Amino acid sequence: KNEVEQSPQNLTAQEGEFITINCSYSVGISALHWLQQHPGGGIVSLFMLSSGKKKHGRLIATINIQEKHSSLHITASHPRDSAVYICAVNRSQGNLIFGKGTKLSVKP
Amino acid sequence: GAGVSQSPRYKVAKRGQDVALRCDPISGHVSLFWYQQALGQGPEFLTYFQNEAQLDKSGLPSDRFFAERPEGSVSTLKIQRTQQEDSAVYLCASSTGTSGGSGPGNEQFFGPGTRLTVL
């Protein structure tokens, strides 16, 4: 079993829909990251959080430490949100353990 | 300022060839990480440097993989006698922090990656 599990693996949505991507982890962590990866490989950090909730524009990330679960929400989705969204967790020394990613496609 | 850069962006190697992949982290970033991302998978940790010290190389898949950061800035990942299973995107990331945690210094900034194809 992977230490970081994401669901769903693939997600297709219509423009304007509310989107949720889930992440569960089984190890002790110091922080959890949500990353966005576009075709071509570039990875951008969206959020880094260790408790509660963070919001940036149309993106919201939440984490429940007791349940070892995090969610990434996208409100009013747009085709430009189409990308792979990756959940990753920090171990104590700093290296990241990644989920396999969720491929999101938003149709106009 | 400039972000993390990697070169080459694409590399095609014949099986058995040696390759060297370069990472230029953000100036002043203490920590540097190498990750390997196979097609359709999430990245996986290879190795970690704090300045010039390689503190963790537990993710290197075999002794054909070697990484260095001799002056605590630029890092090189070398793969000897490449095999087809080495085909992947190799990602480099850097951060200002020196340990895990949720402080701003532990945000990792990623380079664009080097796509290695071994024929």
Side-chain angles (χ1 to χ4, degrees):
Chain A
K1 187 179 188 301
N2 293 331
E3 292 170 303
V4 180
E5 297 272 5
Q6 284 185 240
S7 63
Q9 274 190 296
N10 294 283
L11 180 56
T12 300
Q14 287 298 127
E15 183 173 356
E17 284 185 0
F18 180 83
I19 288 163
T20 296
I21 300 171
N22 294 300
C23 175
S24 296
Y25 54 93
S26 58
V27 295
I29 68 168
S30 53
L32 182 142
H33 301 250
W34 281 102
L35 309 166
Q36 182 191 56
Q37 187 171 32
H38 281 284
I43 290 180
V44 174
S45 177
L46 299 174
F47 295 103
M48 179 173 63
L49 65 168
S50 59
S51 65
K53 176 179 173 177
K54 286 189 176 180
K55 184 175 189 294
H56 186 258
R58 295 180 294 107
L59 302 178
I60 303 166
T62 64
I63 187 169
N64 184 318
I65 297 294
Q66 287 73 29
E67 295 186 4
K68 295 189 174 180
H69 180 269
S70 175
S71 293
L72 175 68
H73 305 286
I74 305 175
T75 61
S77 59
H78 190 275
R80 65 174 174 267
D81 297 328
S82 298
V84 175
Y85 292 84
I86 303 174
C87 171
V89 299
N90 259 117
R91 300 306 300 273
S92 58
Q93 70 179 43
N95 65 286
L96 296 175
I97 302 174
F98 297 81
K100 292 188 176 181
T102 295
K103 186 175 182 180
L104 172 65
S105 178
V106 182
K107 306 293 186 186
Chain B
V4 179
S5 61
Q6 292 185 245
S7 61
R9 289 294 312 278
Y10 302 92
K11 175 70 179 176
V12 178
K14 291 183 179 178
R15 192 174 57 174
Q17 192 177 348
D18 297 350
V19 298
L21 313 180
R22 177 188 169 108
C23 172
D24 281 84
I26 294 173
S27 178
H29 276 198
V30 170
S31 294
L32 185 146
F33 303 85
W34 282 100
Y35 299 98
Q36 179 191 56
Q37 186 175 23
L39 188 64
Q41 301 294 315
E44 292 191 356
F45 170 73
L46 292 176
T47 187
Y48 160 58
F49 289 86
Q50 189 178 116
N51 296 307
E52 69 278 3
Q54 189 174 20
L55 298 188
D56 188 345
K57 54 182 180 179
S58 63
L60 296 177
S62 78
D63 59 9
R64 296 186 294 104
F65 287 69
F66 171 77
E68 60 183 3
R69 193 186 185 198
E71 297 179 1
S73 55
V74 171
S75 178
T76 303
L77 176 67
K78 297 179 180 177
I79 309 173
Q80 297 177 321
R81 305 181 304 281
T82 52
Q83 303 295 312
Q84 283 187 315
E85 63 262 28
D86 300 335
S87 296
V89 174
Y90 290 85
L91 294 162
C92 175
S94 69
S95 70
T96 58
T98 58
S99 65
S102 60
N106 293 301
E107 181 181 3
Q108 294 189 21
F109 295 84
F110 287 82
T114 294
R115 183 177 295 278
L116 172 65
T117 303
V118 181
L119 302 177

